[in-house]
Amino acid sequence: GNSTMRDILFGLQVQSIGEKPYKSLLELEDERGNRNGTSITVKAKEIGLRIFPMADVYGGPLIGCHVGSDIAADLLAIGMDQQNHDVMLVDIGTNTEIVIGNRDRMLAASCPAGPAFEGGEISYGMPGYQGAIESIALHGSNVKYSTIENQEPQGICGSGLIDILAELRRTGQMTELGVLPNGEETFSVVPDKGISISRSDISSLAQAKSATYSGQYIAMRRYGAPPEKIFKLYLAGGFANYIKIESATSIGFLPNIPNERIIKVGNAALEGATIMLLSQHMRIVSQQMFRNIEHIELETPPDFFEIFVEGCMFNPMATIIP
């Protein structure tokens, strides 16, 4: 889990993670030289886990801020420490984490995207459950959609929300600022079910998208690798598995990287956790890898606000000049 989730599991005080400089107590202790690394191992009985009482319970290392042990697991799963070319990991969620680099240098950032693309704060938004509209295509005034498990439509999940935004732009039914024609407040997706997307929904999605946009843009610029120099883009997380790449890049949710260089790795955190479980050596590798990752705070660049405003527009990502 992220830093907060991990430390709560181990019964640690998490107040310091919510205050500048947004670090776990174990990170602060490590910086003071009072411990070696930010991973943690306790006995099951110490945290009330109902397995063999003397079993070891391991929590992976933390990079910094909210970039936690789930990302440590992601990096093991994709073999980031073995990459000779520049690659980028984007783990999409309420908090989106980004790591860019190769075996010699890595840089990480955390983006507070919020719950909009997971269905929160959106009129007919919902998680990826049965009946969620997961893909949408517009043909003139006709809306074609598919739902999860082909059930009756109940709402729109994240991949469907990205599709509808991209399709409204493609067909000229929404401006780059998210404005619908003739001052309309809603666009009907499934009229007989009353499912629609509103101007307010579009505004919330624009801000959520911009957080992810800004994180990727700033990380690539800081690292010195624009999209054309990214050898592979790894998309992690359950939501990312269902995103239509063309839709995501057309509205700037993802950078302009050719489809063949974008790899969906699904629940890479679970894969990485399995690697940690099976190999003490790989746990050491993970800890060493994290020590060499530079963490950047997104709000520190002087032009952050300009980048965020650009990211709120439904256009492909602006040209990055390192």
Side-chain angles (χ1 to χ4, degrees):
N2 64 35
S3 305
T4 303
M5 293 163 65
R6 193 205 71 165
D7 283 8
I8 286 175
L9 173 67
F10 286 96
L12 301 175
Q13 172 60 250
V14 295
Q15 183 174 343
S16 63
I17 302 175
E19 302 170 346
K20 267 191 172 291
Y22 310 115
K23 294 184 178 182
S24 161
L25 290 178
L26 299 192
E27 288 179 82
L28 297 173
E29 286 183 17
D30 182 51
E31 289 177 358
R32 290 193 291 264
N34 295 332
R35 63 179 293 114
N36 183 24
T38 57
S39 61
I40 181 172
T41 304
V42 302
K43 299 300 180 184
K45 66 179 183 179
E46 295 177 45
I47 59 172
L49 191 62
R50 296 182 66 185
I51 58 174
F52 173 58
M54 296 305 292
D56 286 332
V57 182
Y58 174 80
L62 311 175
I63 293 180
C65 193
H66 300 287
V67 186
S69 52
D70 51 345
I71 306 307
D74 282 348
L75 297 183
L76 285 181
I78 66 172
M80 191 84 165
D81 61 313
Q82 303 297 315
Q83 300 282 351
N84 293 316
H85 300 91
D86 292 332
V87 300
M88 185 160 73
L89 167 79
V90 180
D91 191 315
I92 300 172
T94 300
N95 210 63
T96 294
E97 290 87 16
I98 296 157
V99 183
I100 183 172
N102 56 38
R103 63 190 305 165
D104 299 317
R105 180 192 174 204
M106 296 181 208
L107 184 151
S110 176
C111 320
F117 282 102
E118 295 179 322
E121 302 173 354
I122 305 300
S123 305
Y124 292 94
M126 64 179 290
Y129 300 153
Q130 288 184 9
I133 297 173
E134 60 179 344
S135 68
I136 298 174
L138 300 184
H139 302 279
S141 58
N142 297 323
V143 181
K144 292 191 175 181
Y145 61 86
S146 62
T147 63
I148 294 176
E149 298 189 14
N150 295 316
Q151 300 295 309
E152 283 290 307
Q154 305 295 322
I156 312 172
C157 67
S159 58
L161 291 169
I162 289 176
D163 274 0
I164 189 62
L165 294 170
E167 287 291 277
L168 286 171
R169 283 290 290 133
R170 182 184 66 81
T171 57
Q173 299 181 71
M174 182 181 78
T175 70
E176 63 180 10
L177 298 176
V179 178
L180 299 172
N182 304 316
E184 295 173 11
E185 286 298 314
T186 60
F187 177 86
S188 184
V189 179
V190 188
D192 58 334
K193 292 282 187 178
I195 297 173
S196 63
I197 186 168
S198 71
R199 180 71 183 89
S200 175
D201 294 334
I202 293 170
S203 178
S204 295
L205 291 166
Q207 294 178 63
K209 178 189 78 76
S210 186
T212 300
Y213 173 105
S214 301
Q216 294 172 94
Y217 185 96
I218 292 170
M220 284 188 286
R221 186 177 70 175
R222 176 78 165 266
Y223 184 80
E228 58 268 25
K229 291 188 177 181
I230 301 297
F231 183 68
K232 296 288 184 186
L233 169 61
Y234 295 95
L235 291 182
F239 165 40
N241 247 10
Y242 301 96
I243 291 175
K244 189 184 297 179
I245 301 301
E246 296 87 346
S247 295
T249 55
S250 72
I251 62 170
F253 190 86
L254 294 173
N256 302 314
I257 293 176
N259 282 14
E260 63 271 17
R261 287 197 268 142
I262 299 178
I263 302 172
K264 296 177 179 179
V265 291
N267 194 342
L270 182 59
E271 173 73 16
T274 304
I275 293 170
M276 289 179 180
L277 174 67
L278 295 174
S279 171
Q280 184 180 38
H281 169 69
M282 294 307 293
R283 295 198 289 275
I284 295 170
V285 167
S286 178
Q287 182 69 56
Q288 291 172 339
M289 195 186 334
F290 261 39
R291 282 202 174 280
N292 298 321
I293 297 177
E294 175 190 355
H295 178 263
I296 57 171
E297 294 183 18
L298 296 184
E299 68 274 17
T300 54
D303 60 346
F304 171 76
F305 183 71
E306 288 83 354
I307 294 170
F308 188 85
V309 169
E310 181 73 33
C312 284
M313 298 184 188
F314 294 102
N315 289 323
M317 187 173 288
T319 301
I320 295 173
I321 303 175

